Amino acid sequence: KQEVTQIPAALSVPEGENLVLNCSFTDSAIYNLQWFRQDPGKGLTSLLLIQSSQREQTSGRLNASLDKSSGRSTLYIAASQPGDSATYLCAVGVQGAQKLVFGQGTRLTINP
Amino acid sequence: DARVTQTPRHKVTEMGQEVTMRCQPILGHNTVFWYRQTMMQGLELLAYFRNRAPLDDSGMPKDRFSAEMPDATLATLKIQPSEPRDSAVYFCASGGLRSLIIGNEQFFGPGTRLTVL
């Protein structure tokens, strides 16, 4: 059974810092990996999608990497801003199906 | 502006009542998912459909929950009878094949916050 873990559960950093959020999964036979952002009381916004054959994806100040063999993904946020404060969720697409298994998320706070 | 819509956004009901949640997927998407989010369990997949056919509902309590997709523009999740432990946020997501390279990406609706008293 695929399990997804995100560390740390919460992170608070001053504005302007570069930071890394971690995601690990137990079964390397994945279809894809998706990073989401969730604001309090809101739905999920897709940030980046990495196919199993890819190593990384970039969008603006965000860069996500995938190392399938070690069961890890990282989300790198450059030059953090208070508007980046949210919960970030990592989800793994189960191979053979498109259903996602989610981690518990990292609650990020960027302090002005 | 293509997005997944869900109704109602909030629902408060009493134990034993029937609850129906609705979802309109993004036009052209062929896969629809229902998730439940709680503080304790996080996000859990309840069921999903492809081309309106149910593919997996193993995450759903069968005795009280049912999911249907009467047409390509409407998916429903019904709870009958509802119980306090069903209180959660229920999300619908839709996905479609963006390309053979990028593959499926899921887009989430704003959720229905359900409170069962």
Side-chain angles (χ1 to χ4, degrees), chain B residues 8-47:
Chain B
R9 292 293 310 278
H10 302 273
K11 176 72 176 179
V12 180
T13 191
E14 293 187 348
M15 182 173 63
Q17 295 297 306
E18 178 180 300
V19 175
T20 298
M21 291 169 271
R22 293 177 175 81
C23 167
Q24 182 173 9
I26 293 173
L27 189 64
H29 281 186
N30 66 341
T31 314
V32 174
F33 305 82
W34 283 104
Y35 292 90
R36 175 171 62 186
Q37 187 177 38
T38 61
M39 287 292 293
M40 292 299 295
Q41 301 296 329
L43 265 162
E44 303 172 286
L45 178 68
L46 297 175

Side-chain angles (χ1 to χ4, degrees), chain A residues 21-25 33 35 50 64-67 71-75:
Chain A
L21 307 181
N22 296 294
C23 171
S24 61
F25 46 94
L33 187 144
W35 282 94
I50 310 177
S65 67
L66 174 63
D67 184 343
R72 292 179 185 177
S73 176
T74 61
L75 179 67

